Every structure is written in structure tokens, then in C-alpha cells.
Amino acid sequence: MLVLAGVFAVLQLGNVTGRDTPDTKNYLSYALSLRGEGKREAAAATIDYACRSGASVAARRQRVDVVRFHRPDPAGRVLAACREREWRAVETRLRAGHAGGRTVPFMPERFMRIFEARPGYPVFLVPFLTLFGVTWGLWLAGVAVTVAGGVLVFLILRTLRAAAPVCLTGQALFYVLPCGTTAMRPMTEGLMLALTLAAVWGCALALDGDARRVRAGRWLVGGALAALFTVKHSQALFLGLCLAGAGVLVAVRRRRAGREPGRGVLAVTAAGCCGALGTVLLARLLHYPSEAESLQDLLTDHFARPDRTRVWPEFLHLQLNFWVEWTRRQLWEPLFAVALAAGAWGVLRGRRPAGVFVVAAAFTGALNQAGHPDIAIWGDRLIVLAWLLPVLGLPLLLESALLRERIALPAQDSGGGHDSVRAHSPG
């Protein structure tokens, strides 16, 4: 397990920069402000990182451009233009008095309030930035959280009694599928993936039945939901609701079969209900941006246009259009859909109670995507949590295909007088 994690970390040295997105600036400036830097110092460090990263990507692209590969390196020009553009926008907003909160005002104040409500990831970044600087700190933070996600996949499969090679397969799938690519980006998704996997591990422990494991699983699920609230409270709400729903489903099925639900199922269900209810109440108490505000952000292109007067009807219209187009693209390139189906089959085939909770956790990816029906990034970070289903399910499906039950075959004994039974098993 540790060797596989180490190999993955070494391979990431090929892309130390160039992974950032526009949202990275908001999280990085938040983290720098937590470290005690002022607005202009945080802006300087953040802009320098983002622009150097953009310049590096531009240089790489030109080197393999069939028309422009022989032209001078564009890094210096791209760097200068980026710095001028970013500083102009920041200076304008600072002069207008947009200096509140922890983040540097790279975007309108209403948009930045969304990131002010997500302190968990910036807090996670602070020790890395302090010890290793911005560039290497962000890279190492990505490596740490991605490696942790893969290790949690290994632990979940091990808790489900899977063989060690199967567990290693799941860990490797986490690294090579979009989970690993997305988790390495300096954004919240890596931490969301790790905390969601921690909650799934808690579910697997709780379903074991042992009193100590039930207690450990309950605290692990509750702790993961609490941490998720600080990272992205909508994910805490989605995960709490989905785990509670999965627990109710398992409990009802067991009741109909004449069995008790079990302490583990009840513990996870209670933790999910408390997490969902606590998320709603605490978000209201802290005056976090409402659902309507998030929809305005979506429909006005980050508040660059006037507010919409019919938010919900327009959102539902866009929602319908999005899923129709999403389905069309899936029929064109069905790898994701096939992987989801195979993963669901794998987790539900032999480990049904635990599999129900895995499916519930993966379903939060679809809910997250539904909350942001932006077709430009449908297959990337918004729905990335759905990839947990093939990550955990495909190794279990492989195990069930390779490991056959012992088969009794008739065979002649050495004396030739009586038939005996000889058991065969593969491997």
C-alpha cells in the first residue's frame, strides 16, 4: 500500500505546476490570510503563483504546437499580461472598498462570500504553505490528500474482507481514474473525496457488528460530516441525507425479512440525520449564502449580469436541458456509465448492506452536479464523487470473477473400488 502511494507521489513530479483553476486563487489567498498576510501580500503571492502556472502551461503548449513550436518562448509575455490583468481587477475592487473577509477580491463581493463559507481547505493548506512555500506547498498538499484517498480506499476494501491484491487494485484505480486527477488540483475536491471515503469507511466499520467497531464507525461518520461542513457544507448536507436514506433502506429491508436492523445501521442512520440537520441549522445560524443566492451565481455568470427574477423555473429548465445533453454524450462515449454500472454491480453483489452505503456516497456526485448544471465541466470535478463507485466496486467485481467457490468433483481412489470426492479451488 505504501509503495503504491510512493510511486504515485513520485509520478506527480512531472506536473508540479499547471493544475490550478480560477477558484484556486480564492482558496490560496484565504490560506495566506489565515497565515497572517495582508490583502496586498496575499494578492501578490497568489497572482504570482497563478500567472507563473499559466505561463508554464502556455510554454508547454507552444512547444508541441505544429505551427508555433519554433517561435520564441511565450512564458514571459503571458506572465506579464496575466499579472497586469489580475492586479488591475484586484486594485479596482480594493479601491472600491471590497477588502472584507479573508479572500482577496478577485471576483465580485457576492461571489467571494461563497468561498468565505469554506474555511476547511484553506486551513488544511496553511502548514504546507508555511513549511514549503506556495508552489511546493500546494503540490505537496495535493499529493497528501490524494494519497490519503487511495489509502482510505484500501482500508474500506480491507474492512469488507477483500483480499490484499483486490484492495491494492482499488487504491490504484483511485489514483489513475479522474478521482486522482481531480484530487491533485489545488481545490476542495481532493479533501471532499478523502472525507467522503472516511465516512464510507465508518459505515463499513459500523456494519461489522462488533460494539467497538460500531462506536468507531459512528464517530468516523460524524467527524467526516463535521469536517465536510467546513470544506463545502452542501456536500455535508448531501452526504448526510444519502447515508441516512441508505440506512433507512437497509433497515426496512431487514425488517421485512424478519431481522433486526442492527446497531451499525442505526448508528450510521442517526449520524447521517444529525449531520444533515446540523448542516442546515448551522448554515442558517452563520448566514451562509442561501440556495437562491447560489442559483443567482449560476444563472448570472458569477453575478456579472443582473439578477434573474424567475430563478427556480429557469434553473429547472436548465436542469432538464443539461441532463438531456449529458445523456446524449454518455451514449456517445459510454465509458463512465459502464463503469458506474459495473461498480454498482460489484458493491451490491456480495456485500449488499455496505454496497448500499457506497452507492449512496457516490450518488452525492450526481447531486453536486445537479446543483451546478454546467455542461462545460460535467465530466470533471463536479461529478467526480460518482467515480467512487467504480473505484470500490470494480475490484470487488474482479474478485468475484476470479475467486470460485470450491467445487466437489468425483474422482477414483487409488484402490479403484469406491468413488471419493475431491475438492478443487482455483489457485
Side-chain angles (χ1 to χ4, degrees), residues 133-364:
V134 172
T135 299
W136 285 102
L138 286 175
W139 180 83
L140 283 169
V143 169
V145 76
T146 309
V147 164
V151 170
L152 283 166
V153 169
F154 182 97
L155 294 174
I156 291 168
L157 293 172
R158 202 62 172 156
T159 303
L160 296 178
R161 307 289 197 278
V166 175
C167 301
L168 291 172
T169 301
Q171 182 184 4
L173 284 175
F174 182 84
Y175 295 149
V176 302
L177 289 177
C179 300
T181 304
T182 304
M184 275 299 301
R185 290 181 177 177
M187 297 180 68
T188 57
E189 277 68 25
L191 202 51
M192 283 170 51
L193 282 162
L195 292 172
T196 301
L197 284 167
V200 173
W201 186 30
C203 295
L205 288 170
L207 292 175
D208 186 80
D210 179 76
R212 289 182 298 177
R213 287 201 164 198
V214 170
R215 286 195 298 271
R218 181 181 62 221
W219 283 108
L220 191 54
V221 172
L225 289 172
L228 269 174
F229 179 86
T230 69
V231 176
K232 192 174 182 182
H233 67 278
S234 62
Q235 175 62 16
L237 175 61
F238 293 154
L239 185 59
L241 289 174
C242 288
L243 293 182
V248 169
L249 179 61
V250 172
V252 169
R253 287 180 60 87
R254 287 183 172 181
R255 283 289 189 186
R256 288 181 176 177
R259 300 162 53 198
E260 291 296 320
R263 291 176 300 175
V265 173
L266 295 178
V268 172
T269 304
C273 289
C274 292
L277 181 60
T279 296
V280 173
L281 295 178
L282 196 54
R284 293 290 183 266
L285 183 64
L286 296 175
H287 303 290
Y288 279 1
S290 65
E291 296 82 4
E293 188 73 353
S294 296
L295 296 186
Q296 289 289 1
D297 167 51
L298 173 72
L299 297 173
T300 60
D301 192 21
H302 305 313
F303 305 108
R305 302 181 181 189
D307 282 6
R308 315 298 293 184
T309 57
R310 301 173 67 250
V311 177
W312 284 103
E314 290 191 14
F315 175 73
L316 294 176
H317 187 183
L318 177 62
Q319 193 77 232
L320 176 62
N321 292 347
F322 172 85
W323 289 111
V324 169
E325 176 63 16
W326 186 88
T327 303
R328 187 191 67 80
R329 296 191 182 192
Q330 284 302 307
L331 295 175
W332 184 13
E333 297 180 284
L335 175 62
F336 182 44
V338 171
L340 289 180
W345 186 17
V347 297
L348 294 174
R349 184 178 183 182
R351 297 165 174 84
R352 181 163 295 174
V356 173
F357 288 100
V358 172
V359 172
F363 185 66
T364 61

